[in-house]
């Protein structure tokens, strides 16, 4: 098989696994679909939440210089005029320029109807709250605001599963600083972004940095690095890091009182930006593995335990033996569920089938309650990647799993 075919094959395998196992479904499917939209099923939501929680923990909760914000998607259209998006947020089409912002009308009465746009980036929701944040928290420079939320673009050609869609989520940081410090913090955020990619299990051998040329940079940027990923359909942008100068704050006529120098300045901005869908797609592609077990191909998702949608599955060896089911339910499933939440009960089919299902979901541990459990209070814990099993005392299970999460 040629390399290209194998790579296409990989995308097909991921898309079909995501649907079959309840991660991601095509949008509006029963009506023939709706291009550039996807719906997230139970395991997809769990995976996405883990990715977003890990981002928020690293970039907001574990720091003292970051503030969170969750701004409205609908904004006064002046925001987009002033920010340059009405004039510049466009892609070439039929020899002209096609503005990719999704326009809508807000309000009912004729003279009250206002044009608005579904935001094409979360960043502006941050800039327009710059003054509110400074007034409420009095932060010293440098400091940042972080936001996770939906963004919309009327992409001319949505394609490649989650890669290019019309409705997606971004995780963005605007880091405000003095102009003289921009190069230092550009470097700093470059490193932080790479660290996070590794933490969530993106294959770093497939990540490459591209210095974006001035003609290709967005209208607001004086320097941009794209972090590209080797997707099966080519090396493409995963995330970005931009030096937005004082472009946005200046246009919105916002400033900051520098107490050290007793004068008003316009802070400059470094912007690390992440697409949630592209993060999830690159994690899925990095995690997907196949090996041979008992003469059969075994596909499995080698998620890091902190990102896996399910941390462990609990199975009574036989579902028609009440004593096994009772033990599994009360002594194993209930305490694990209370502790970790992302724990599932799986008694469907024989053990081999359950393991294969959990391998495809990417569950790192399968716990089986058998007849020995009833006499010695131990269970088997099977490792997804090696297939090896060990016996663990029921009383030590929570600690055993917790250790694997670090
Ligand atoms: N605030 C800066 C900004 O929006 P961008 O490079 O246009 O910059 C940031 O978008 C990130 O959002 C991209 O790196 C990508 O991860 C994600 N993204 C952009 N357009 C997308 C689309 N149509 N579908 C999925 N993700 C997209």
């Amino acid at each position: 098989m040629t390399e290209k075919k194998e790579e296409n094959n990989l995308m097909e395998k991921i898309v079909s696994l995501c649907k079959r196992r309840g991660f991601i479904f095509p949008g509006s499917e029963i009506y023939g679909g709706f291009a550039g939209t996807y719906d997230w099923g139970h395991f997809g939501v769990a995976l996405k939440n883990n990715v977003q929680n890990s981002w928020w923990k690293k970039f907001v909760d574990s720091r003292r210089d970051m503030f969170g914000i969750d701004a409205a998607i609908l904004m006064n259209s002046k925001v987009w005029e002033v920010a340059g998006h009405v004039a510049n947020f466009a892609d070439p089409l039929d020899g002209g320029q096609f503005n990719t912002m999704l326009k809508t009308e807000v309000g009912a009465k004729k003279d009250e109807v206002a044009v608005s746009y579904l935001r094409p980036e979360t960043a502006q929701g941050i800039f327009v709250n710059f003054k509110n944040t400074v007034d409420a928290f009095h932060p010293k420079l440098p400091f940042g605001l972080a936001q996770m939320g939906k963004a919309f673009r009327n992409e001319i050609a949505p394609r490649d599963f989650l890669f290019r869609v019309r409705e997606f989520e971004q995780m963005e940081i605007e880091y405000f600083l003095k102009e003289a410090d921009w190069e230092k913090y550009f470097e700093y955020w470059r490193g932080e972004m790479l660290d996070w990619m590794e933490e969530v299990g993106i294959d770093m051998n497939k990540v490459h940095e591209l210095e974006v040329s001035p003609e290709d940079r967005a209208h607001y940027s004086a320097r941009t690095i794209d972090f590209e990923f080797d997707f099966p359909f080519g090396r493409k942008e995963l995330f970005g890091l931009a030096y937005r100068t004082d472009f946005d704050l200046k246009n919105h006529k916002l400033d900051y009182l520098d107490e050290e120098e007793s004068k008003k300045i316009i802070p400059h901005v470094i912007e690390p930006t992440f697409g949630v869908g592209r993060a999830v797609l690159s994690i899925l592609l990095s995690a997907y593995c196949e090996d041979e077990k008992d003469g059969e191909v075994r596909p499995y998702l080698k998620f890091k335990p902190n990102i896996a949608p399910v941390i462990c599955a609990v199975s009574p060896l036989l579902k028609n033996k009440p004593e096994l089911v009772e033990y599994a339910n009360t002594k194993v499933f209930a305490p694990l569920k209370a502790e970790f939440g992302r724990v599932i009960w799986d008694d469907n089919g024989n053990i081999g089938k359950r393991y294969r299902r959990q391998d495809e979901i990417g569950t790192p541990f399968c716990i089986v309650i058998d007849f020995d459990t009833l006499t010695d209070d131990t269970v088997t814990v099977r490792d997804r990647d090696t297939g090896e099993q060990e016996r663990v005392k029921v009383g030590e299970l929570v600690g055993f799993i917790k250790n694997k999460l670090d």
Side-chain angles (χ1 to χ4, degrees):
M1 210 188 292
T2 66
E3 207 172 288
K4 179 119 193 120
K5 261 194 190 151
E6 262 176 43
E7 296 277 88
N8 285 342
N9 218 346
L10 176 60
M11 275 307 282
E12 275 168 27
K13 283 178 183 172
I14 297 272
V15 172
S16 115
L17 186 155
C18 282
K19 181 161 184 229
R20 193 173 64 250
R21 292 294 180 207
F23 283 79
I24 298 156
F25 311 117
S28 311
E29 199 183 10
I30 62 166
Y31 291 105
F34 197 56
T37 66
Y38 284 91
D39 297 340
W40 297 72
H42 184 73
F43 292 136
V45 179
L47 176 61
K48 184 156 72 76
N49 283 346
N50 292 342
V51 169
Q52 294 190 286
N53 289 342
S54 129
W55 189 88
W56 196 261
K57 189 170 162 201
K58 178 171 176 65
F59 294 125
V60 182
D61 284 347
S62 68
R63 305 175 59 110
R64 39 173 93 188
D65 58 347
M66 293 291 298
F67 299 87
I69 185 99
D70 188 2
I73 289 173
L74 294 173
M75 302 176 85
N76 190 313
S77 61
K78 281 200 186 118
V79 172
W80 305 109
E81 282 160 28
V82 168
H85 288 67
V86 173
N88 298 312
F89 204 74
D91 285 338
L93 178 69
D94 300 332
Q97 286 290 310
F98 174 72
N99 194 299
T100 57
M101 283 199 294
L102 273 154
K103 211 178 200 172
T104 187
E105 285 183 351
V106 181
K109 290 191 194 145
K110 235 185 186 170
D111 50 346
E112 285 174 11
V113 169
V115 166
S116 185
Y117 301 92
L118 301 184
R119 66 182 179 199
E121 60 166 6
T122 58
Q124 294 304 322
I126 294 182
F127 292 123
V128 301
N129 282 290
F130 176 78
K131 186 177 179 324
N132 287 334
T133 305
V134 170
D135 290 349
F137 307 110
H138 310 290
K140 297 255 169 306
L141 291 176
F143 70 90
L145 265 90
Q147 171 162 230
M148 309 191 291
K150 291 252 172 167
F152 302 81
R153 294 183 190 178
N154 197 3
E155 295 285 356
I156 295 167
R159 64 160 69 106
D160 298 319
F161 194 34
L162 302 176
F163 180 79
R164 178 164 291 121
V165 286
R166 291 184 170 138
E167 173 174 344
F168 54 101
E169 275 165 285
Q170 290 184 321
M171 304 182 286
E172 297 200 296
I173 293 167
E174 307 302 328
Y175 199 71
F176 302 99
L177 34 75
K178 293 188 179 176
E179 182 176 5
D181 291 335
W182 82 265
E183 277 163 312
K184 180 171 111 192
Y185 285 104
F186 194 93
E187 266 315 293
Y188 168 79
W189 282 105
R190 199 167 74 83
E192 290 293 289
M193 291 181 80
L194 290 167
D195 285 351
W196 182 77
M197 292 179 217
E198 192 159 8
E199 264 173 54
V200 292
I202 294 173
D203 181 351
M204 298 310 284
N205 294 318
K206 294 192 170 164
V207 174
H208 309 274
E209 289 176 30
L210 174 80
E211 184 72 46
V212 179
S213 65
E215 346 35 290
D216 290 337
R217 287 198 294 252
H219 62 276
Y220 48 72
S221 177
R223 186 181 175 197
T224 299
I225 288 180
D226 279 352
F227 293 93
E228 298 189 308
F229 184 80
D230 292 325
F231 290 99
F233 42 86
R235 185 175 287 184
K236 299 269 166 75
E237 177 186 341
L238 178 60
F239 308 134
L241 175 64
Y243 168 41
R244 285 182 87 126
T245 67
D246 57 356
F247 179 87
D248 300 273
L249 290 186
K250 192 156 85 190
N251 285 345
H252 291 307
K253 300 195 166 38
L254 295 166
D255 56 21
Y256 174 89
L257 178 65
D258 182 352
E259 282 172 1
E260 275 167 25
E261 296 187 33
S262 308
K263 63 170 190 192
K264 287 197 166 168
I265 60 166
I266 303 178
H268 281 233
V269 173
I270 302 293
E271 178 192 67
T273 178
F274 305 71
V276 177
R278 287 190 194 177
V280 168
L281 180 55
S282 64
I283 291 169
L284 283 164
L285 288 163
S286 304
Y288 187 86
C289 299
E290 285 177 358
D291 61 10
E292 269 210 31
K293 279 245 168 352
D294 312 321
E296 270 184 53
V297 177
R298 174 182 79 120
Y300 64 108
L301 288 169
K302 205 172 174 173
F303 291 131
K304 290 200 165 182
N306 61 332
I307 291 301
V310 179
I311 182 69
C312 62
V314 176
S315 274
L317 181 65
L318 300 168
K319 70 171 169 188
N320 58 359
K321 294 283 171 209
E323 62 276 36
L324 291 183
V325 173
E326 164 75 10
Y327 192 108
N329 232 324
T330 55
K331 300 207 170 139
V332 182
F333 182 73
L336 287 172
K337 187 82 179 156
E339 180 68 33
F340 300 109
R342 48 196 178 105
V343 174
I344 57 173
W345 177 265
D346 191 352
D347 61 6
N348 209 347
N350 63 32
I351 285 289
K353 273 209 174 119
R354 296 180 206 170
Y355 286 159
R356 274 199 295 282
R357 177 164 47 243
Q358 296 306 326
D359 285 344
E360 279 202 318
I361 295 167
T363 307
F365 308 105
C366 284
I367 299 170
V368 175
I369 291 83
D370 57 22
F371 290 103
D372 287 343
T373 311
L374 302 179
T375 53
D376 67 3
D377 291 312
T378 67
V379 289
T380 52
V381 178
R382 178 231 186 218
D383 181 284
R384 172 197 64 203
D385 303 340
T386 61
E388 276 166 22
Q389 306 186 8
E390 61 181 301
R391 292 217 60 107
V392 176
K393 287 201 178 115
V394 170
E396 291 170 8
L397 266 176
V398 166
F400 176 90
I401 305 269
K402 259 194 184 159
N403 270 340
K404 309 279 181 180
L405 285 174
D406 297 336

